[in-house]
Amino acid sequence: VPRAGYIPQIACANCRNPAHCAACNGPLSYPDAQGTPQCRWCGALAGNWACPTCHGTTLRAMRIGSDRTAEELGRAFPQTVVRVSGAKSVDGIIARVPARPGVVIQPRVAEAVVDGDYGLAVILDAQVGSAGTGLYADQETLNRWLATATLVRGAAQGGEVYLVGEGAAVPTAALVRWDPVGLAERELVMRQDLHMPPAWRVASVTGDRLAVNQFLDILRMPPGGSVLGPVEIDPVLPRGRGAAQDRLPQGAHQTLTVAVRAIIRVPVGQGRDLARAIKAAQATASARRAAALVSVVLDPKELV
């Protein structure tokens, strides 16, 4: 399953808008069947929650997690042993399960192995697990699906893998064909054409427009390099786990109302020269007391 926990994402039952914490605006969730809605960022309880849009007070599940999935399958198969592997589950992450009939519910990176391999794997909510839009979304999705599929015995021994839901087209096709090499080759050709990693080395510079422009002015660009932008971005970047790596430096949006980001690209052979140039530019910016207004990330994982 793509999500751990009980009900990790809830929304207003009336207008369907996601429910957020009144204290920090973080997403609300149900930690267990009897629990009070709780913020996933700050941990605050939201017992008296009211929707700021329609003022409704009733909540509904948007996504269910591994614990709730186990609860539903336990009711569907009452005579079957159902185990849940996960850091937040009762038994924690299960490394190995006995080779007896049963069901194991596993969020990603918590897969348990079994002697003789599994007879069947069902990858639930493929549309959720493949919904990312980042530069590496397709590869990471396929990697997770293959990690699950390789725990299943081969087709000649009766093993089966089911993908449930409308998964993204690229990783779905690669899984069906069992062709991670083909996906990698296709992606590499596209990255070469777009001048993106790993064919090119990339750095993002984020902050106030004035500070970013000054940083680019003092940066000694390696041969063959180019700069995209700066372009405006949302000054309030994502918070919490999984947030973008090149977040706006604290306090930067207090000096100017518009935050910007520039992308620096150089051929892969100039990667070390780019790192040295960035280090030298940061030293100069620090001497001018402007470094705190700029965040620089080399090879950022997320560009879109």
Side-chain angles (χ1 to χ4, degrees):
V1 296
R3 298 178 185 274
Y6 190 71
I7 299 181
Q9 191 172 1
I10 55 181
C12 175
N14 184 43
C15 67
R16 301 297 196 267
N17 283 327
H20 293 281
C21 174
C24 72
N25 203 38
L28 295 182
S29 66
Y30 280 115
D32 52 55
Q34 291 78 33
T36 301
Q38 187 175 17
C39 178
R40 287 164 48 196
W41 287 357
C42 69
L45 299 178
N48 297 320
W49 180 87
C51 178
T53 302
C54 70
H55 307 292
T57 58
T58 305
L59 292 163
R60 69 184 299 271
M62 292 181 66
R63 298 280 186 266
I64 66 172
S66 54
D67 292 339
R68 177 60 181 269
T69 302
E71 183 180 283
E72 295 178 353
L73 288 178
R75 288 196 295 264
F77 305 99
Q79 304 303 318
T80 303
V81 176
V82 178
R83 297 178 174 87
V84 183
S85 176
K88 296 182 180 180
S89 299
V90 175
D91 296 327
I93 296 178
I94 302 173
R96 183 175 294 274
V97 295
R100 297 195 296 269
V103 176
V104 185
I105 312 297
Q106 314 180 72
R108 54 193 180 193
V109 306
E111 294 90 349
V113 298
V114 59
D115 293 331
D117 299 324
Y118 291 97
L120 169 69
V122 182
I123 302 172
L124 296 177
D125 295 330
Q127 72 279 8
V128 176
S130 61
T133 58
L135 193 62
Y136 297 93
D138 288 342
Q139 297 96 301
E140 291 178 346
T141 296
L142 180 61
N143 180 59
R144 291 193 299 267
W145 291 352
L146 289 176
T148 298
T150 53
L151 298 176
V152 181
R153 65 178 64 109
Q157 290 76 44
E160 296 180 288
V161 177
Y162 289 89
L163 185 66
V164 180
E166 297 182 4
V170 172
T172 298
L175 178 67
V176 171
R177 296 194 306 266
W178 202 258
D179 187 25
V181 174
L183 184 145
E185 291 175 342
R186 172 182 177 273
E187 287 290 324
L188 182 58
V189 171
M190 293 177 61
R191 303 292 178 81
Q192 290 170 339
D193 293 340
L194 296 173
H195 293 181
M196 290 293 179
W200 284 54
R201 298 298 301 274
V202 173
S204 68
V205 183
T206 309
D208 288 323
R209 182 178 293 277
L210 178 60
V212 170
N213 285 332
Q214 290 177 341
F215 184 89
L216 296 176
D217 288 340
I218 61 179
L219 178 70
R220 299 186 63 180
M221 184 70 67
S226 62
V227 177
L228 302 178
V231 296
E232 295 181 7
I233 61 172
D234 185 350
V236 183
L237 294 184
R239 299 173 57 183
R241 296 182 64 182
Q245 297 181 38
D246 53 345
R247 66 181 64 212
L248 184 65
Q250 184 178 5
H253 65 283
Q254 298 173 357
T255 58
L256 290 176
T257 57
V258 176
V260 300
R261 178 173 60 188
I263 302 297
I264 304 169
R265 305 184 300 182
V266 299
V268 66
Q270 302 294 331
R272 291 184 180 274
D273 293 336
L274 176 61
R276 292 191 199 87
I278 289 175
K279 183 177 181 180
Q282 286 179 315
T284 302
S286 179
R288 299 178 181 178
R289 298 184 178 181
L293 301 180
V294 173
S295 173
V296 183
V297 179
L298 189 61
D299 288 339
K301 188 174 182 180
E302 300 294 339
L303 287 176
V304 294

